[in-house]
Amino acid sequence: AAQFSLENIIEFGNGCLCCTSKGQLLLAIEALRNRAGTRPFDYIIIEASGLADPGPVAAELWADAALESPVHLDGIVTVVDAQHIVQQLSMPSQDGSVNEAQRQVAYADKILLNKIDLVDSDTLHAVESALEELNSTAEIIRTTFSQVDLRAVLHIDAFNADRLSLH
């Protein structure tokens, strides 16, 4: 079994992956791959806490696919809180554009609708409707304590260039 090692953690100087200068993410991933030895990673999961914008991270990984990197973007999974997401979606942004919660839902290929045990069925349906209004193509997976079968969130293949190409 694989063991956790502090040697396999990369810290970004400004502490924010979504705000990191272009190229630093890919350099960090390559550094991790080189430290890990000859066995390739099965998966690299980037967790963007809080209200991070997944766009810059996705763009960097998507653009790198054209360079034939062994690292590719599989998909974007967003976790939303069933109790608070409707309020978060309606909050105005500082610049008047879409807010971070709206951005996260819009970018998602899969949405984990968490804490469903804390809302009634009417609220749950209203939340799902609000999410579908922002992103009608993302699969919504209901969860409690964010428990989900990994097969539901890995091997999404949402950024497969062949699948996405317009023939």
Side-chain angles (χ1 to χ4, degrees), residues 2 34 79 89 104 113-114 124 134 154 162:
N34 292 336
V79 181
L89 292 173
Q104 288 181 348
L113 180 52
N114 195 38
L124 188 58
L134 280 172
L154 299 179
D162 294 332

Side-chain angles (χ1 to χ4, degrees), residues 2 16 23-24 26 31 36-37 42 56-57 63 74 80 91 93-95 99 123 127 140-141 147 152 156 160:
C16 180
Q24 191 174 0
L26 295 175
D42 295 328
V57 175
D74 182 44
V80 300
M91 293 174 73
S93 68
Q94 291 180 341
D95 65 1
N99 69 33
T123 301
V127 167
I140 298 172
I141 302 169
Q147 293 180 345
I156 297 171
N160 180 324

Side-chain angles (χ1 to χ4, degrees), residues 1-21:
Q3 291 187 340
F4 174 77
S5 169
L6 288 177
E7 293 174 357
N8 291 333
I9 293 178
I10 300 288
E11 183 178 354
F12 292 97
N14 66 0
C16 180
L17 182 61
C18 65
C19 302
T20 300
S21 63

Side-chain angles (χ1 to χ4, degrees), residues 94-158:
Q94 291 180 341
D95 65 1
S97 66
V98 297
N99 69 33
E100 294 300 324
Q102 293 166 341
R103 222 179 246 120
Q104 288 181 348
V105 169
Y107 274 110
D109 298 302
K110 304 260 183 150
I111 299 171
L112 301 183
L113 180 52
N114 195 38
K115 299 184 182 181
I116 61 168
D117 56 319
L118 302 179
V119 297
D120 60 40
S121 70
D122 288 342
T123 301
L124 188 58
H125 291 295
V127 167
E128 288 177 329
S129 292
L131 295 172
E132 289 169 352
E133 192 174 311
L134 280 172
N135 186 339
S136 62
T137 61
E139 177 185 1
I140 298 172
I141 302 169
R142 294 177 176 186
T143 65
T144 302
F145 294 103
S146 294
Q147 293 180 345
V148 64
D149 184 339
L150 285 179
R151 292 174 291 195
V153 295
L154 299 179
H155 305 291
I156 297 171
D157 209 24

Side-chain angles (χ1 to χ4, degrees), residues 23-110:
Q24 191 174 0
L25 170 60
L26 295 175
L27 291 172
I29 290 172
E30 288 302 317
L32 283 172
R33 286 184 65 241
N34 292 336
R35 284 187 200 174
T38 58
R39 184 175 179 268
F41 291 117
D42 295 328
Y43 251 83
I44 299 170
I45 297 175
I46 299 169
E47 195 278 331
S49 297
L51 293 176
D53 181 354
V57 175
E60 187 166 349
L61 292 170
W62 176 246
D64 197 49
L67 302 176
E68 299 180 8
S69 170
V71 176
H72 73 278
L73 180 60
D74 182 44
I76 297 172
V77 179
T78 297
V79 181
V80 300
D81 181 326
Q83 273 191 307
H84 300 106
I85 189 62
V86 172
Q87 178 186 359
Q88 291 167 336
L89 292 173
S90 65
M91 293 174 73
S93 68
Q94 291 180 341
D95 65 1
S97 66
V98 297
N99 69 33
E100 294 300 324
Q102 293 166 341
R103 222 179 246 120
Q104 288 181 348
V105 169
Y107 274 110
D109 298 302
K110 304 260 183 150

